C-alpha cells in the first residue's frame, strides 16, 4: 500500500464508490462475498487498492493543510511545484491556542513579541501525494485555506 487503508466508517461512506470500483473489475456482489470468504487475502488487496485510489484522488486536490498544536500553527499552501509554509509560534507556554481562550489571546496578541512568524518554501519530493499524506498522518487537516490566506496577507505587508 502506498497510503493507508480507509477506516470502516470511510468505507461505509464510500460504499457506492466501492461497488463501482468492484464493477470496473467485473466483480459482482455475489463474487465479492465469495472472495471475502474463500480468499480473504485477495479481499484485503482489493480494499488496499481502493484505499490508495481514493487517497490519490483526495491528495491531488489538496491545496491547503493546517496543523495546530498548543503553541504552534503550521499553515501550508500546496501549489503545483512546492509547498509554502507560514508557521506561527506562541512563546508563552501558558497559552494553548487549541482552546477558545488561548485562540482569543493569540488573535488579540498576534503582533506582540510573544508571537513569532516564520515562512518557508519547499519543493516536493518525487511523490507530491506522499508529501501531503505525511503531513496528514502527522496531524494536519485539509482546509479551504482561510487561515493561510489571512496570515499570508499579514506576513506579506
Amino acid at each position: 500500500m502506498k497510503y493507508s487503508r480507509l477506516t470502516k466508517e470511510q468505507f461505509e461512506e464510500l460504499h457506492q464508490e466501492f461497488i463501482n470500483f468492484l464493477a470496473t473489475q467485473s466483480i459482482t456482489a455475489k463474487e465479492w462475498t465469495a472472495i471475502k470468504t474463500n480468499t480473504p487475502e485477495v479481499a484485503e488487496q482489493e480494499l488496499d487498492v481502493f484505499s490508495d485510489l481514493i487517497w490519490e484522488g483526495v491528495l491531488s486536490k489538496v491545496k491547503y493543510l493546517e496543523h495546530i498544536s498548543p503553541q504552534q500553527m503550521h499553515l501550508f499552501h500546496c501549489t503545483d511545484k512546492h509547498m509554502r509554509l507560514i508557521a506561527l509560534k506562541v512563546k508563552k507556554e501558558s497559552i494553548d491556542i487549541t482552546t477558545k481562550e488561548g485562540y482569543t489571546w493569540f488573535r488579540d496578541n498576534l503582533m506582540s513579541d510573544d508571537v513569532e512568524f516564520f515562512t518557508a518554501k519547499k519543493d516536493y519530493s518525487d511523490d507530491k501525494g506522499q508529501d501531503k499524506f505525511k503531513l496528514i498522518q502527522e496531524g494536519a487537516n485539509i482546509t479551504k485555506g482561510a487561515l493561510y490566506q489571512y496570515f499570508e496577507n499579514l506576513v506579506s505587508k
Side-chain angles (χ1 to χ4, degrees), residues 7 12 18 20 22 24 34 47 54 84 91 97 105 108 112-113 117 119 122 124 147-148:
T7 64
E12 288 170 1
F18 186 65
N20 294 344
L22 292 174
T24 63
L47 295 172
I54 294 299
R84 293 189 175 277
K91 293 183 189 176
I97 61 174
W105 177 93
D108 293 343
S112 76
D113 289 340
F117 286 80
T119 60
K122 180 181 178 189
Y124 293 111
L147 272 177
Y148 181 92

Side-chain angles (χ1 to χ4, degrees), residues 69-86:
S69 60
Q71 263 77 48
Q72 297 183 41
M73 181 181 292
H74 292 94
L75 308 170
F76 301 90
H77 180 202
C78 306
T79 69
D80 288 337
K81 296 189 186 327
H82 54 260
M83 281 192 209
R84 293 189 175 277
L85 166 69
I86 297 174

Side-chain angles (χ1 to χ4, degrees), residues 3 6 21 25 37 53 55 59 64 70 81 85 102 118 144:
Y3 301 108
L6 299 174
F21 167 76
Q25 299 180 68
T37 304
L53 283 172
W55 275 113
L59 293 169
Y64 296 95
K81 296 189 186 327
L85 166 69
F118 305 95
K144 294 185 193 269

